[in-house]
Amino acid sequence: MSLAAYCVMCCRRLGTSTPPPKNNTYWKDIRITYQARKELHKAVRKVLAISARILQGPFADTFATFDVEDHECAVWLLLKKSQSDDRAARLQAVREMVAAHPWHGNETVRAHGPAFPTWKEGSKNYQFRTIAQACDLRTLTGLARSKESDPRFFLPPPPLPPLKEDSSIEEELRHLLASLPQTELDECIQYFTSLALSESSQSLAAQKGGLWSFGGNGLPYAESFGEVPSATVEMFFLEALVKHSEIPTHCDKIEANGGLQLLQRLYQLYKDSPKVQRGIMRVVGNMALNEHLHSTIVRSGWVSILAAAVKSPDIMEASHAARALANLDRETVAEKYQDGVYVLHPQHRTSQPIKADVLFIHGLMGAAFKTWRQQDSDQVLTEKVSEDETRYTTCWPKTWLASDCPALRIISVEYDTSLSEWRARCPSERKSIAFRSNELLRKLRAAGVGDRPVIWVSHSMGGLLVKKMLLEASQRPEMSSVINNTRGILFYSVPHHGSHLAEYSVSVRYLLFPSLEVKELSKDSPALKTLQDDFVKFAKDRNLQVLSFVETLPTSIGSMIRLHVVPVESADLGIGDLIPVDVNHLNICKPKKKDAFLYQRTLQFIRETLAKDLEN
């Protein structure tokens, strides 16, 4: 009935309703029971009554005694308003839909406009279903990005097509990846693609031979008899698809070959594997950068999945979902968030004006979320620890800083690093500070960095990236806004003059073949000295505010050695304050609690540096 009413109303408004047939048909000519005619007449009266109220058109006196529930009229008014040509009206409609969700008795809800009755308990599921079925793409995305939206606004994803006979998800992933262009690719994409296809071939051969084995080339991923196979091969595929989905034409291929449905099937299968689900959301978030794919993404049911994920207490799951939804929301978001750029605050639509940006750039072996957690137990500097998801704790920029400074947009950046070339997953030239800084600068500018005042917060090698990005931006006219709006920089143990880490590359097993990142931290690196000299001159000329912290305690590297990764003299930029803190290299950016000196001094620097901008 709701859809029928909506169609009738649209037809009346547009004047496109079907004309009556030339030959009149009377009730007596139709074999229909009296009760059925009575119910049909009642339904027609209800449609006309609602239509007349909403469209403010004439309503026949013969139907004037019909009593229509206020809440039914209100929901159609909101739906009509959500499709208005006026953007402000559309945004208001979404806010009113969300605000009306308590449905307590006959109270009214006033959301910056006319009062609408709350929807009664007995009819609230009907109202949800009505909106879910009748709202358009913009409204659905807006509801998904509204913090207090009810999950019943979202229909379950449509049924997935059955797998082909004698096929498996792994085989379907293989076919999807093989269908994508394989020539003229970036070396990194070629690497991930060939690795996934190679591992899949050996995995499938092992399965057909009666074993669950996911580890070709001698990798230790074999599973014992009777166990459910691990997600190793699926992760290889997802890493390859993430890289392919950064290319718009490849996104078209993924969509055309049923990739959205296949990824949804994989998402459901690995509901207990956060790592797999995050990889899937990365692909969907990349595809959402292409506006012509938005309707397909919505129709495939991804918005309802993302709407649930963005409310997750897990910071990583919520942030990946928030990125994908922000890329879908062209109504309120002008920026585009590419892979590795995550907004920690605000992750929902908000009426709070955003007046400045604070960017967090992690260092060697860090990550967008775990680097900025609260201090936990003593860590060992190994890549095994960096992958241990059970040790992630609260992300203080998202919780403490967002609460203390709600007018900030807080962004955290992620990029791949490794200590050893044993673990390198892309050609080494892509690992250089120069290459990374150019790539990150491009992504951050697409995210609107430079459109408002900026403070950069960095840890370890991340500080070198910040310095390089700002120097590069100063030489490019199209990046002038980034320079003009940079207000200050906060360094946590940044090796401006090099690190002892590279010196132990021979004696520590993780560094037998040191990665390019480690080599660039050498104290005798000419590039590091040039970067330092150029940046100090730049910072002085721009009168940038600078605050530096440095560790005073040694850090464990593997099980063989402890050292000061960044000594005090190396962390001294030469300008701004330098504050030693009695923690190791990993904990220098992880305050123990909110009232700890490390956090409070950081907060003070941000507030003082942005004081004039936050007052406006």
Side-chain angles (χ1 to χ4, degrees):
M1 171 51 64
S2 60
L3 291 178
Y6 186 67
C7 293
V8 169
M9 286 184 280
C10 288
C11 290
R12 286 191 58 185
R13 177 164 58 86
L14 299 174
T16 57
S17 56
T18 306
K22 294 181 180 179
N23 297 326
N24 292 329
T25 302
Y26 298 95
W27 286 113
K28 65 180 181 179
D29 299 322
I30 301 177
R31 293 185 178 180
I32 186 170
T33 65
Y34 171 78
Q35 185 62 32
R37 278 184 289 166
K38 182 178 178 181
E39 292 300 321
L40 183 59
H41 190 199
K42 181 179 178 181
V44 171
R45 285 188 303 165
K46 191 171 185 179
V47 169
L48 293 176
I50 297 175
S51 175
R53 286 194 182 192
I54 296 173
L55 303 175
Q56 298 180 354
F59 184 48
D61 291 339
T62 54
F63 297 129
T65 59
F66 182 72
D67 184 20
V68 179
E69 296 286 347
D70 287 336
H71 64 78
E72 295 185 38
C73 184
V75 70
W76 288 110
L77 280 169
L78 287 177
L79 280 168
K80 180 188 176 186
K81 189 175 181 179
S82 71
Q83 298 178 21
S84 167
D85 293 333
D86 181 4
R87 176 178 174 274
R90 296 195 300 268
L91 297 178
Q92 180 66 23
V94 172
R95 287 193 293 267
E96 289 170 359
M97 288 178 186
V98 174
H101 74 80
W103 300 289
H104 293 308
N106 291 318
E107 299 173 0
T108 59
V109 172
R110 187 179 298 273
H112 311 290
F116 289 97
T118 57
W119 300 332
K120 294 180 180 178
E121 182 69 27
S123 61
K124 61 184 179 182
N125 288 328
Y126 164 80
Q127 308 299 341
F128 280 126
R129 190 164 57 250
T130 298
I131 290 178
Q133 292 174 344
C135 70
D136 59 11
L137 180 154
R138 291 180 304 201
T139 304
L140 186 65
T141 304
L143 290 170
R145 293 199 69 237
S146 299
K147 188 173 183 178
E148 304 300 330
S149 62
D150 193 287
R152 286 170 292 181
F153 278 124
F154 310 100
L155 296 174
L160 295 171
L163 289 173
K164 297 177 182 177
E165 189 174 353
D166 297 328
S167 183
S168 66
I169 287 185
E170 186 177 329
E171 288 176 305
E172 292 296 319
L173 284 169
R174 179 181 177 82
H175 292 152
L176 176 62
L177 188 57
S179 71
L180 302 178
Q182 306 293 319
T183 58
E184 300 181 1
L185 294 179
D186 175 281
E187 287 182 87
C188 199
I189 301 179
Q190 289 180 350
Y191 170 82
F192 281 111
T193 302
S194 61
L195 178 62
L197 294 176
S198 172
E199 292 298 316
S200 174
S201 295
Q202 298 192 41
S203 168
L204 291 172
Q207 291 178 44
K208 291 178 181 178
L211 291 173
W212 286 115
S213 174
F214 284 84
N217 298 328
L219 293 176
Y221 299 133
E223 302 287 344
S224 63
F225 291 106
E227 289 185 355
V228 177
S230 71
T232 302
V233 171
E234 281 77 0
M235 283 307 305
F236 285 144
F237 278 119
L238 287 174
E239 288 177 334
L241 286 173
V242 164
K243 297 299 179 183
H244 279 279
S245 63
E246 293 177 350
I247 305 173
T249 54
H250 291 211
C251 288
D252 294 339
K253 290 280 188 181
I254 293 172
E255 184 275 324
N257 293 326
L260 288 169
Q261 290 77 18
L262 183 58
L263 289 172
Q264 196 175 123
R265 188 185 300 278
L266 192 64
Y267 190 91
Q268 295 175 0
L269 179 65
Y270 286 99
K271 61 180 181 293
D272 296 324
S273 175
K275 190 173 183 180
V276 170
Q277 292 196 330
R278 291 197 302 268
I280 294 170
M281 284 192 283
R282 286 177 68 189
V283 178
V284 175
N286 287 348
M287 295 181 70
L289 290 166
N290 305 279
E291 294 185 37
H292 67 281
L293 294 178
H294 285 187
S295 60
T296 306
I297 294 172
V298 172
R299 287 198 307 271
S300 64
W302 270 106
V303 171
S304 62
I305 295 173
L306 296 171
V310 79
K311 296 180 183 295
S312 169
D314 182 274
I315 173 63
M316 290 183 289
E317 180 182 0
S319 297
H320 279 79
R323 171 183 167 253
L325 287 171
N327 286 336
L328 285 172
D329 187 8
R330 296 299 90 189
E331 187 86 316
T332 63
V333 182
E335 303 83 5
K336 292 192 174 183
Y337 297 102
Q338 299 186 31
D339 188 45
V341 180
Y342 301 98
V343 176
L344 301 181
H345 172 80
Q347 292 188 336
H348 302 89
R349 285 188 178 182
T350 177
S351 58
Q352 167 71 55
I354 301 301
K355 298 181 179 181
D357 290 337
V358 176
L359 311 181
F360 287 81
I361 316 293
H362 69 78
L364 186 63
M365 291 175 52
F369 310 105
K370 74 186 185 74
T371 290
W372 313 106
R373 66 187 185 271
Q374 289 174 249
Q375 182 176 330
D376 44 25
S377 59
D378 291 338
Q379 304 99 342
V380 176
L381 187 58
T382 67
E383 300 198 24
K384 183 176 182 180
V385 169
S386 74
E387 295 170 357
D388 183 1
E389 296 180 6
T390 64
R391 302 183 70 170
Y392 294 171
T393 58
T394 302
C395 181
W396 62 263
K398 184 180 186 299
T399 53
W400 302 344
L401 185 58
S403 174
D404 289 331
C405 301
L408 298 178
R409 180 178 64 156
I410 303 172
I411 291 178
S412 190
V413 171
E414 180 148 327
Y415 57 94
D416 179 50
T417 69
S418 61
L419 287 178
S420 171
E421 287 298 342
W422 278 351
R423 301 295 296 271
R425 301 193 290 179
C426 285
S428 61
E429 60 269 17
R430 294 182 62 92
K431 298 279 191 174
S432 68
I433 291 175
F435 182 91
R436 288 190 192 280
S437 65
N438 183 66
E439 184 178 48
L440 289 179
L441 185 60
R442 173 182 56 81
K443 289 184 175 183
L444 290 173
R445 189 67 194 102
V449 172
D451 293 343
R452 55 177 71 92
V454 182
I455 285 182
W456 304 76
V457 181
S458 59
H459 175 234
S460 190
M461 191 185 78
L464 304 180
L465 282 174
V466 171
K467 291 161 65 176
K468 187 65 174 178
M469 277 191 282
L470 290 174
L471 287 175
E472 286 190 3
S474 68
Q475 302 299 316
R476 296 163 61 178
E478 70 274 16
M479 295 290 179
S480 60
S481 62
V482 176
I483 300 301
N484 295 334
N485 273 317
T486 291
R487 298 287 190 267
I489 310 171
L490 201 155
F491 296 111
Y492 289 107
S493 284
V494 173
H496 302 292
H497 305 283
S499 169
H500 290 308
L501 195 60
E503 298 173 12
Y504 292 88
S505 61
V506 175
S507 58
V508 181
R509 63 191 179 94
Y510 287 101
L511 303 178
L512 287 177
F513 299 99
S515 63
L516 182 60
E517 298 103 302
V518 174
K519 293 176 183 176
E520 286 191 321
L521 299 181
S522 174
K523 286 191 172 184
D524 58 358
S525 168
L528 203 60
K529 186 178 187 308
T530 300
L531 176 63
Q532 166 65 9
D533 294 342
D534 291 347
F535 182 78
V536 168
K537 182 179 184 303
F538 165 81
K540 288 181 177 179
D541 291 344
R542 304 295 303 186
N543 194 30
L544 296 181
Q545 300 300 303
V546 176
L547 175 63
S548 301
F549 295 99
V550 61
E551 75 229 38
T552 62
L553 301 181
T555 303
S556 297
I557 302 180
S559 59
M560 301 176 63
I561 199 166
R562 287 166 60 85
L563 81 156
H564 283 93
V565 177
V566 179
V568 173
E569 61 271 18
S570 183
D572 188 358
L573 179 66
I575 55 176
D577 293 335
L578 175 64
I579 303 176
V581 184
D582 291 335
V583 293
N584 64 26
H585 186 69
L586 297 180
N587 286 332
I588 190 65
C589 55
K590 299 176 179 63
K592 284 186 176 181
K593 49 188 178 178
K594 190 172 182 180
D595 61 1
F597 169 78
L598 198 56
Y599 173 71
Q600 289 300 320
R601 186 64 182 90
T602 296
L603 178 61
Q604 179 186 350
F605 175 80
I606 292 173
R607 282 176 167 168
E608 290 178 352
T609 304
L610 295 174
K612 292 182 180 179
D613 301 299
L614 296 178
E615 287 174 0
N616 296 334

